Amino acid sequence: MLKIENIFRSYTDTQKRVDVLKGISLKVAAGETVAIVGPSGAGKSTLLHIAGGLDHPNEGKVLLNDQDVYRMSDAERSRMRNITVGFVFQFYHLLPDLTALENVMLPLMVGENLGSKTQAIEEKAIRRLQAVGLGERMDHKPNQLSGGEQQRTAVARALINDPALLLCDEPTGNLDSASGNAVMELLFTLNESERRTLVIVTHDVLLASRASRTVHIKDGILI
């Protein structure tokens, strides 16, 4: 479902060009779990962001269900991200003034002519929070939740639009081992029960070992 073809990405930092990705190609099948590993600065997160339409490559293509992501307009790409792709980040990115329930509802409320849909959106968000074990915590704000609870809230938010593809950037990297294991089990249970395709950037050896395939990046090259 995901094809990354000959991706190059560089940045200019204080007038010096930094080549981050140097011609990476990768295919991910529907329902597959892929771990992307490598040292810090190797280009793992950059590749994930390009795969999900968050960052533009200098060269190359990203095809998601045979649609060329970077030939879309900005509006089309934003809609694709909101519907087809779910993102889970290391630092959660929850809005601090919203409850867990409101954070999970947010992707479904962006750009909608809500009308009578608000109740249906709330009911769906409640089901998603219950599915990740937070049915009793949905009225709490992020600063009232543990790190593991915040990450499970972020997973519920990523799933609210029923995306086919989940892109996870160090999803256990900011958690203690018990919370990390709980999030890891949640992600792979979703893959098994709902056939979500998972692409996970991680330094966690145990998490990478659970994936059906592991790819290694070093110095911007797939090895």
Side-chain angles (χ1 to χ4, degrees):
M1 70 174 303
L2 175 66
K3 294 180 183 179
I4 297 167
E5 299 181 352
N6 202 33
I7 290 293
F8 287 80
R9 186 66 169 104
S10 62
Y11 301 94
T12 300
D13 182 18
T14 63
Q15 299 183 339
K16 179 182 178 182
R17 175 180 164 125
V18 178
D19 294 316
V20 180
L21 300 178
K22 305 170 185 176
I24 285 185
S25 296
L26 178 66
K27 293 181 180 180
V28 180
E32 190 176 12
T33 57
V34 177
I36 301 175
V37 302
S40 296
K44 305 184 300 298
S45 293
T46 300
L47 179 63
L48 198 76
H49 294 170
I50 288 173
L54 290 174
D55 189 12
H56 283 70
N58 297 108
E59 297 179 39
K61 289 183 179 181
V62 175
L63 301 176
L64 187 57
N65 291 327
D66 294 322
Q67 291 185 297
D68 192 332
V69 170
Y70 293 101
R71 286 188 175 274
M72 297 177 181
S73 68
D74 288 344
E76 289 170 337
R77 191 161 48 251
S78 293
R79 180 169 175 78
M80 177 276 297
R81 282 197 303 263
N82 197 39
I83 294 173
T84 307
V85 183
F87 293 94
V88 180
F89 299 101
Q90 179 177 356
F91 295 103
Y92 325 133
H93 294 311
L94 302 176
L95 295 183
D97 293 331
L98 301 184
T99 64
L101 178 61
E102 290 165 341
N103 268 286
V104 173
M105 291 172 65
L106 197 58
L108 276 177
M109 300 182 76
V110 172
E112 288 283 354
N113 182 12
L114 294 175
S116 61
K117 296 180 182 178
T118 303
Q119 183 175 350
I121 291 172
E122 181 174 334
E123 289 171 354
K124 186 173 185 180
I126 289 171
R127 290 195 298 272
R128 277 302 181 191
L129 282 165
Q130 289 171 337
V132 300
L134 292 176
E136 303 300 319
R137 305 286 281 167
M138 63 182 65
D139 292 325
H140 291 67
K141 292 184 177 179
N143 65 359
Q144 299 171 309
L145 302 172
S146 69
E149 288 171 336
Q150 289 184 66
Q151 192 61 297
R152 281 185 280 153
T153 301
V155 172
R157 179 185 59 191
L159 293 170
I160 192 67
N161 275 324
D162 299 312
L165 174 64
L166 273 181
L167 300 178
C168 306
D169 192 357
E170 297 284 3
T172 61
N174 213 31
L175 303 175
D176 60 60
S177 58
S179 297
N181 287 338
V183 169
M184 177 176 67
E185 290 299 328
L186 173 60
L187 291 172
F188 284 97
T189 297
L190 287 166
N191 168 257
E192 293 165 6
S193 63
E194 300 183 11
R195 298 300 293 163
R196 308 285 177 192
T197 304
L198 292 180
V199 180
I200 305 172
V201 163
T202 185
H203 283 103
D204 186 331
V205 175
L206 180 60
L207 177 55
S209 72
R210 291 286 301 272
S212 57
R213 181 159 55 106
T214 301
V215 298
H216 297 257
I217 294 179
K218 183 177 181 181
D219 298 328
I221 299 172
L222 212 62
I223 56 173

